[in-house]
Amino acid sequence: MNKRSYAAVMFILAVVAWPVGCTCGNDGAGGEPPGNAPSSETVDLQTVEEGGPPIFDVMAARRSVRSFADTPLTEDELARLLWAGQGITDPVRGYKAVPSAGALYPITLYLCDASGVGRYEPETETLAVISESDLRDELETAAMGQSAVGDAPAVVVIVAKPAVTAAKYGGRAERYCTLEAGHVAQNILLAAFALGLSGVTIGAFDDDSVRSLLDLDEEYLPLYIIPLGHPE
Ligand SMILES: Cc1cc2nc3c(=O)[nH]c(=O)nc-3n(C[C@H](O)[C@H](O)[C@H](O)COP(=O)(O)O)c2cc1C
C-alpha cells in the first residue's frame, strides 16, 4: 500500500470509528496519562461546586451537541460567536480574544448559513461575502456526511494560514496553528453555551473539499468545522 492510500485508509477508519467513541462512551475519566508510571499516591483537591464566576457554570454545562432546532441564530448571537473566536480586544495593539503565537493571528473564521458564506473581518466586525449559496449540505458531505453540519443553522469553519506563523516560528507553525484553533474553538463553544446555544467541534473532514468550497488554495489549512444552533 502506498503512503497516500495508507493515509486514506487511516482517515476512513478514524471517521468510521468516531461514532463508536461517541455513542458507546468511555468512562470519560482519561486514566493515567501516557508516559508516566502508575502512581499510588494522590493529593486531594477541593471539589469544585456550582457557583463562582459564571464562566465555571458555562464550562460545566458545555457538552457536544449534534442536533439542532431550526431556529436561525440572531445577528447578535452570530456577532458574539465570531467575536469570541477572533474579536479584537485591544485595538491599540491589535490583540484578540484568543492567544496567538507572537500575536500573529494566522486564523480566519468563515460563517456558513442559509444566506451563504462570509469571511469574518475582525477589524470592522463585518462579514465579507464569499458566496451567496448555502453550502452547508456540501460541507456535510465534506465532513463524511456528519448530519450536524448540514442541520445546524450556522456553521463556523476555522481556517489557518501557517505561512503567517512560519515567518517567525518556522517548522513549528502548523503545531501553533492547530493549538490556536483549539483556543478559538473553545472560546466559540463557551460563548455559545453562555448564550443558551450549543455546538460541536468537528475534526473529521476532507481538507481539499473544504478548501474548494471556501475557494481557498493549498496555503490554507481548514482545522475545525463547528456547527452551532439552539439545542433541539
Ligand atoms: C480534535 C477533535 C475532533 C473532533 N471531531 C469530531 C467529529 O468529527 N465529529 C463529532 O461528532 N465530534 C467530534 N469531536 C467532539 C468529541 O467527540 C467530543 O468532544 C467528545 O465525545 C467528548 O464529549 P463532550 O464534548 O460533550 O465533552 C471532536 C473533538 C475534538 C477535540
Side-chain angles (χ1 to χ4, degrees):
M1 193 183 293
N2 66 28
K3 226 169 143 188
R4 206 183 163 90
S5 337
Y6 178 77
V9 168
M10 292 313 284
F11 182 70
I12 289 162
L13 281 177
V15 171
V16 169
W18 200 280
V20 178
C22 288
T23 51
C24 296
N26 53 35
D27 62 7
E32 195 76 28
N36 291 102
S39 166
S40 54
E41 277 182 56
T42 57
V43 176
D44 287 340
L45 291 173
Q46 184 190 316
T47 305
V48 177
E49 306 286 357
E50 284 179 15
I55 192 166
F56 285 90
D57 291 333
V58 176
M59 285 192 277
R62 185 211 61 81
R63 189 90 290 136
S64 290
V65 170
R66 298 175 178 84
S67 56
F68 306 97
D70 287 337
T71 326
L73 302 196
T74 64
E75 276 183 27
D76 180 71
E77 287 166 338
L78 291 171
R80 286 177 190 277
L81 292 169
L82 293 165
W83 182 90
Q86 278 296 277
I88 296 176
T89 49
D90 179 343
V92 175
R93 294 183 293 176
Y95 285 4
K96 296 186 179 178
V98 285
S100 175
L104 293 170
Y105 304 105
I107 300 253
T108 301
L109 300 181
Y110 289 83
L111 175 69
C112 307
D113 63 13
S115 61
V117 180
R119 188 184 60 230
Y120 182 58
E121 305 287 338
E123 290 77 13
T124 49
E125 294 189 57
T126 54
L127 285 172
V129 178
I130 302 300
S131 166
E132 291 187 347
S133 304
D134 181 354
L135 299 181
R136 288 172 296 168
D137 285 346
E138 280 104 318
L139 265 183
E140 175 180 318
T141 305
M144 316 301 144
Q146 297 191 66
S147 59
V149 180
D151 293 349
V155 180
V156 171
V157 185
I158 300 181
V159 175
K161 185 178 179 183
V164 169
T165 302
K168 186 168 182 188
Y169 296 110
R172 291 182 77 76
E174 280 208 12
R175 172 198 291 246
Y176 286 176
C177 286
T178 310
L179 293 170
E180 291 187 29
H183 295 302
V184 173
Q186 186 73 352
N187 259 23
I188 292 174
L189 282 185
L190 292 179
F193 279 82
L195 292 167
L197 305 170
S198 56
V200 58
T201 51
I202 288 197
F205 53 81
D206 180 68
D207 293 353
D208 285 337
S209 306
V210 174
R211 273 191 204 101
S212 138
L213 286 169
L214 299 180
D215 199 21
L216 296 169
D217 64 35
E218 289 265 317
E219 254 200 311
Y220 293 86
L221 187 59
L223 287 167
Y224 253 149
I225 296 177
I226 312 180
L228 295 155
H230 292 269
E232 211 166 23

